[in-house]
């Protein structure tokens, strides 16, 4: 994972809307991709994907190292977690799998991800890293806590580790009148 640049802005992207991450809030920029035509938009160091842009799940540990087997296991796990979704429509992204431990996997709609990447390339945002926010939080804090959460405006993603291994990931949708604490955004600075 690349370090965050303190000089470049960081954005939060839902499937349709782009926000600037500030010290204490999400500042609405506008509809994505419409805002990409703006000359005021500066190249960010990171664009964090919101929970509505991807699915996150755990793949079991492997008995031996095999990149092909990782993909097969990830596809099988995706189908088990999300039987109502078509695996062929999703780009599976493995989060640094280690063959002897359970690992995190992401599934982003291929068509949406391809459009997003193309639009960033057209804007000449070549050095921008696009990463799901929840996995960034996981990577950043995984060594420190057995149970922690990533709070977003609509969803809380819970990570649970047992004996130092990722054991469970689940999402809890926010109640409409629930207020959001932006300490999560502060930790990204």
């Amino acid at each position: 994972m690349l370090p965050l640049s303190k000089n470049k802005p960081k954005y939060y992207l839902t499937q349709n809307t782009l926000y600037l991450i500030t010290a204490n809030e999400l500042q609405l920029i506008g509809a994505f991709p419409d805002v990409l035509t703006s000359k005021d938009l500066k190249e960010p160091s990171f664009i964090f994907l919101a929970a509505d842009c991807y699915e996150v799940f755990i793949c079991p540990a492997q008995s031996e190292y095999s990149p092909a087997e990782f993909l097969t296991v990830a596809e099988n796990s995706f189908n088990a977690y999300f039987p109502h979704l078509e695996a062929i429509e999703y780009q599976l992204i493995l989060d640094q799998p280690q063959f002897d431990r359970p690992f995190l996997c992401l599934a982003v709609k291929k068509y949406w991800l391809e459009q997003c990447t193309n639009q960033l390339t057209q804007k000449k945002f070549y050095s921008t890293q696009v990463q799901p926010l929840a996995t960034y939080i996981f990577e950043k804090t995984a060594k420190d806590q057995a149970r922690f959460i990533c709070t977003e405006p609509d969803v809380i993603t819970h990570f649970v580790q047992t004996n130092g291994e990722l054991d469970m990931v689940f999402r809890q949708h926010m109640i409409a009148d629930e207020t959001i604490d932006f300490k999560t955004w502060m930790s990204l600075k």
Side-chain angles (χ1 to χ4, degrees), residues 160-180:
V160 180
Q161 296 190 97
T162 305
N163 298 324
E165 292 183 357
L166 186 60
D167 185 51
M168 193 184 322
V169 176
F170 63 95
R171 285 186 169 154
Q172 172 187 357
H173 290 276
M174 301 290 256
I175 301 167
D177 62 350
E178 202 166 352
T179 58
I180 302 301

Side-chain angles (χ1 to χ4, degrees), residues 78-127:
F78 177 86
N79 289 328
Y81 279 97
F82 310 106
H84 59 289
L85 300 177
E86 294 290 329
I88 197 159
E89 294 178 4
Y90 286 81
Q91 173 69 47
L92 298 181
I93 302 167
L94 311 181
D95 179 46
Q96 302 176 352
Q98 298 178 17
F99 75 91
D100 57 345
R101 291 197 266 166
F103 57 92
L104 204 59
C105 190
L106 311 169
V108 182
K109 280 218 170 199
K110 284 181 187 175
Y111 179 72
W112 183 87
L113 182 61
E114 185 178 289
Q115 277 189 322
C116 180
T117 305
N118 288 343
Q119 290 161 349
L120 292 172
T121 302
Q122 288 173 2
K123 184 71 175 170
K124 297 188 168 74
F125 286 176
Y126 299 119
S127 62

Side-chain angles (χ1 to χ4, degrees), residues 7-23:
N7 300 329
K8 289 186 173 184
K10 287 152 284 290
Y11 296 107
Y12 176 75
L13 176 63
T14 69
Q15 284 196 357
N16 302 309
T17 311
L18 187 68
Y19 297 86
L20 175 67
I21 300 173
T22 67

